[in-house]
Amino acid sequence: MKGTSYQEKNTFMVPLTAITQALNIPYEADNVGKRVIMNLVIKPTAKFSVEPKVIYAGETMVTYKTEASSSQGLEIVDEKWEGREEVFAAPGEYIISYSVQDASGAWSDPYTQTIQVLQPNLPPVAMFTTDKTEYKMGEFITYTDQSTDDGGIKTVQWENKAFAFFAPGPQTIKLTVTDNKGLSSTYETTINITNDTLYSKDDFNKLFIPEGEKFEFNGTEVSSRAKINYTYTDEPSTLIRSNSPETVNSEGVVYRETAEGNMRFMIHHVNNLNKNVKMYVVATNTNASLATLRTDNLGFAGPSPIATAAGKKSVLYYFESMLDGSKQSTTTLQPGESKLVMTELSKVKMKQGDVISLFSDMHSDYPIQFDVIMIDENSDPLTVWDELPLLDWDGIHNRGTYPNSTRVIQYSDQVGGTPQKLTLGDNSDDPNLDGMDPMYNETVSNAGNFGVLYKIQLERVAPNTLISFNPRGGKYSGYASVNGKIVPIYSNGQVKAPDEQAVLYRTGDYEQKVEIMLTAAPGSNLPFNLLFTPMPNKLN
């Protein structure tokens, strides 16, 4: 305090300015009247909140919830707003002020909030161009999508979009785009196809259908093609295929195995428990020494209600991890210790009917026990895993542990000079792996060789050769890696047997080496052929 306090005649005397400063009491001095005038009015308090939190200009009806009080219990008799609008006409930043007056006549200090009014979502604008307005039959058409949206386009749907047309007359192509808020826009244009022919449909498909796309052909001709009589060697990598029961009806261990060295996991299951669950892989070191478990590659997809979609994406992510090394990690396990590995499995809960699919290449320096489990989403896996029941084989799908699951095919003779085929997954040219189901201790055969990684090295592919993928057992949807580039089979869905083929690669004007990596996508059908077809000459 600026002055001294003291007591006089039983009264404690304190400097007035100390009181007014401490209690924030405004005052003024009347020197003539020798008095100090203090304003002891206590202001009421004003407050408000705004709903909703997200406000769009010209659309959102804004509501204001007020809170006003008087510490003296006086009635609030008046209020004052500045900047308040029920609907804000334009986007921008707005300052809103609110004050109240109580029965004593005192006004509160203004209470202010700054709100952000957003530009309302505008529908997308669909737009595309073609490189010309008139084409010959069998002439390649280039489409350039120029659609725009203020927030982002979610889906793109084309109608009558073809790489070429093979009948004369007008052709109307339509594009519909939909944004993240569900608003759509459509644009269409008409091109003319003349009576002149540049390429036949068959020649055009062989020459111009892009990689990752498909085309129809007469699939019966494949049976008369010459087979590439390849030989193969198997590299040591233990395949642990957890795929049965594929549809899991109760909590438990769907697979238990002990493995060391190089190993590959293929895990593919469906939740049928009528509740949300999660899947885990528990790794347990049963040795007396410290064990090191290394993850090299990993691809996980799901949960998804569509099995082929999960299987296809898991192969894509598996190949991507080979290229970028993004999934490499190391885990150490003390003697007797259990840890969760391949934790991508449990990041998202699985609803009823959801499917997960996973590939992973790992290496351990000691034997490790692996338990693949499905349990309630709220259960602690490291608490319950060793008390879970071992689930039975479903009698349909395959599970087992298979040695030597990396199959290397090296072929040094020229391919592609004449129509040829290379068949995989047929249990004839490409025999199934034999292994054991450790849950039953029975010999099993890896039907379709799912989980096998094929490394195909073709030393001499003829100039101007089309390499394509032709399923023979049903629909197929997956990916391949060709000379280090990941190619979809096929980009917009599935390739159907036997009359469709998906383009993987074309050689140029010179003989060249081609390396292809494949692994069968879970949910798809086998066997399949790789077709090698001489392409016709291009016209100048």
Side-chain angles (χ1 to χ4, degrees):
M1 293 182 291
K2 295 180 180 180
T4 302
S5 59
Y6 59 92
Q7 186 162 317
E8 182 178 299
K9 297 181 181 179
N10 295 324
T11 300
F12 185 57
M13 309 295 289
V14 180
L16 177 62
T17 54
I19 295 294
T20 57
Q21 183 177 4
L23 301 181
N24 197 26
I25 300 173
Y27 70 93
E28 59 183 35
D30 178 8
N31 294 324
V32 176
K34 295 184 179 180
R35 59 180 183 166
V36 173
I37 304 170
M38 293 183 292
N39 182 2
L40 299 180
V41 173
I42 299 176
K43 298 178 182 179
T45 301
K47 192 176 181 181
F48 71 92
S49 59
V50 174
E51 291 291 340
K53 299 301 181 186
V54 180
I55 302 170
Y56 292 101
E59 294 181 357
T60 306
M61 181 66 70
V62 183
T63 60
Y64 300 84
K65 182 180 179 181
T66 61
E67 298 178 33
S69 61
S70 168
S71 61
Q72 296 176 297
L74 299 177
E75 181 183 1
I76 303 298
V77 297
D78 199 2
E79 64 179 12
K80 181 169 58 179
W81 291 89
E82 293 182 8
R84 170 174 169 158
E85 298 286 349
E86 303 301 320
V87 176
F88 291 87
E93 192 174 82
Y94 291 85
I95 299 175
I96 305 170
S97 174
Y98 177 56
S99 304
V100 296
Q101 185 185 42
D102 64 20
S104 73
W107 281 93
S108 68
D109 292 327
Y111 178 83
T112 62
Q113 274 199 53
T114 301
I115 64 170
Q116 193 71 35
V117 178
L118 304 177
Q119 173 75 35
N121 180 50
L122 299 176
V125 177
M127 175 57 62
F128 70 92
T129 60
T130 56
D131 54 330
K132 298 196 297 184
T133 58
E134 189 170 86
Y135 299 85
K136 298 177 181 179
M137 288 183 287
E139 184 176 1
F140 190 85
I141 302 169
T142 300
Y143 302 86
T144 303
D145 187 349
Q146 298 176 333
S147 303
T148 58
D149 184 65
D150 55 345
I153 293 173
K154 185 176 182 181
T155 61
V156 176
Q157 182 177 355
W158 291 88
E159 295 180 36
N160 199 36
K161 180 188 179 185
F163 296 110
F165 292 96
F166 299 93
Q171 294 286 347
T172 299
I173 302 100
K174 183 183 294 185
L175 170 64
T176 300
V177 295
T178 304
D179 68 12
N180 294 323
K181 302 294 184 181
L183 297 181
S184 298
S185 171
T186 299
Y187 175 79
E188 64 180 43
T189 192
T190 300
I191 59 176
N192 185 54
I193 309 301
T194 71
N195 290 312
D196 299 323
T197 298
L198 186 62
Y199 290 101
S200 69
K201 188 173 184 178
D202 183 58
D203 285 351
F204 177 89
N205 289 339
K206 293 174 184 175
L207 286 168
F208 296 111
I209 296 299
E211 294 176 0
E213 304 301 321
K214 67 178 183 178
F215 62 89
E216 295 181 353
F217 76 119
N218 181 9
T220 60
E221 63 91 1
V222 173
S223 60
S224 63
R225 288 192 177 209
K227 280 188 176 182
I228 296 176
N229 296 314
Y230 61 87
T231 58
Y232 61 84
T233 57
D234 288 336
E235 293 181 350
S237 180
T238 301
L239 171 62
I240 298 173
R241 180 178 175 184
S242 177
N243 194 192
S244 184
E246 182 170 283
T247 299
V248 184
N249 299 310
S250 61
E251 295 184 58
V253 179
V254 295
Y255 204 86
R256 173 175 289 169
E257 181 59 287
T258 298
E260 67 176 315
N262 292 328
M263 61 192 84
R264 179 177 306 115
F265 286 82
M266 179 200 147
I267 302 173
H268 185 78
H269 293 283
V270 185
N271 171 25
N272 194 39
L273 271 67
N274 292 312
K275 64 177 180 179
N276 295 336
V277 300
K278 287 187 176 182
M279 291 202 71
Y280 302 87
V281 178
V282 182
T284 303
N285 181 9
T286 58
N287 307 280
S289 302
L290 178 74
T292 300
L293 182 62
R294 187 186 74 232
T295 299
D296 295 325
N297 310 304
L298 189 146
F300 170 76
S304 169
I306 304 172
T308 52
K312 179 178 183 178
K313 282 293 183 69
S314 66
V315 174
L316 169 63
Y317 300 146
Y318 176 58
F319 283 147
E320 286 181 342
S321 73
M322 290 184 185
L323 296 178
D324 61 23
S326 59
K327 297 300 181 180
Q328 295 177 0
S329 64
T330 300
T331 301
T332 56
L333 294 164
Q334 297 292 333
E337 185 180 17
S338 296
K339 285 185 179 180
L340 299 179
V341 295
M342 294 176 264
T343 53
E344 286 80 0
L345 274 173
S346 57
K347 285 184 178 179
V348 182
K349 64 186 178 185
M350 298 173 66
K351 297 180 290 187
Q352 168 75 15
D354 277 349
V355 184
I356 58 91
S357 194
L358 178 142
F359 286 89
S360 182
D361 291 323
M362 307 185 79
H363 179 274
S364 175
D365 56 354
Y366 283 95
I368 300 295
Q369 176 180 310
F370 297 95
D371 286 82
V372 184
I373 64 174
M374 181 182 286
I375 56 176
D376 184 278
E377 64 171 326
N378 297 313
S379 296
D380 181 356
L382 293 178
T383 300
V384 304
W385 72 269
D386 57 348
E387 300 175 357
L388 294 170
L390 303 179
L391 300 184
D392 291 336
W393 172 54
D394 63 17
I396 302 173
H397 300 92
N398 188 276
R399 72 181 182 190
T401 301
Y402 304 94
N404 303 322
S405 63
T406 298
R407 187 153 286 183
V408 180
I409 298 171
Q410 290 182 307
Y411 194 78
S412 57
D413 292 343
Q414 190 187 70
V415 299
T418 59
Q420 293 173 281
K421 63 183 177 184
L422 188 156
T423 304
L424 296 174
D426 65 341
N427 198 27
S428 177
D429 292 0
D430 177 34
N432 293 345
L433 293 178
D434 292 324
M436 293 290 295
D437 181 345
M439 317 280 274
Y440 288 158
N441 197 30
E442 292 182 353
T443 301
V444 288
S445 177
N446 186 20
N449 273 344
F450 284 90
V452 172
L453 178 64
Y454 294 94
K455 296 180 179 179
I456 305 168
Q457 300 172 9
L458 305 170
E459 300 295 333
R460 299 176 56 208
V461 181
N464 302 309
T465 297
L466 167 66
I467 304 176
S468 59
F469 185 101
N470 171 228
R472 306 305 291 183
K475 296 178 180 178
Y476 192 96
S477 182
Y479 285 85
S481 176
V482 185
N483 286 350
K485 178 183 177 181
I486 300 173
V487 181
I489 315 169
Y490 113 92
S491 64
N492 292 319
Q494 300 174 327
V495 189
K496 300 175 184 177
D499 296 326
E500 291 184 348
Q501 54 182 298
V503 175
L504 297 182
Y505 191 75
R506 289 182 178 90
T507 59
D509 294 333
Y510 301 94
E511 182 179 279
Q512 67 179 102
K513 180 178 180 180
V514 177
E515 296 184 349
I516 302 172
M517 280 202 300
L518 282 164
T519 190
S524 289
N525 297 280
L526 286 102
F528 61 84
N529 289 320
L530 294 180
L531 302 182
F532 301 85
T533 307
M535 294 189 295
N537 293 326
K538 283 187 179 181
L539 300 175
N540 294 326

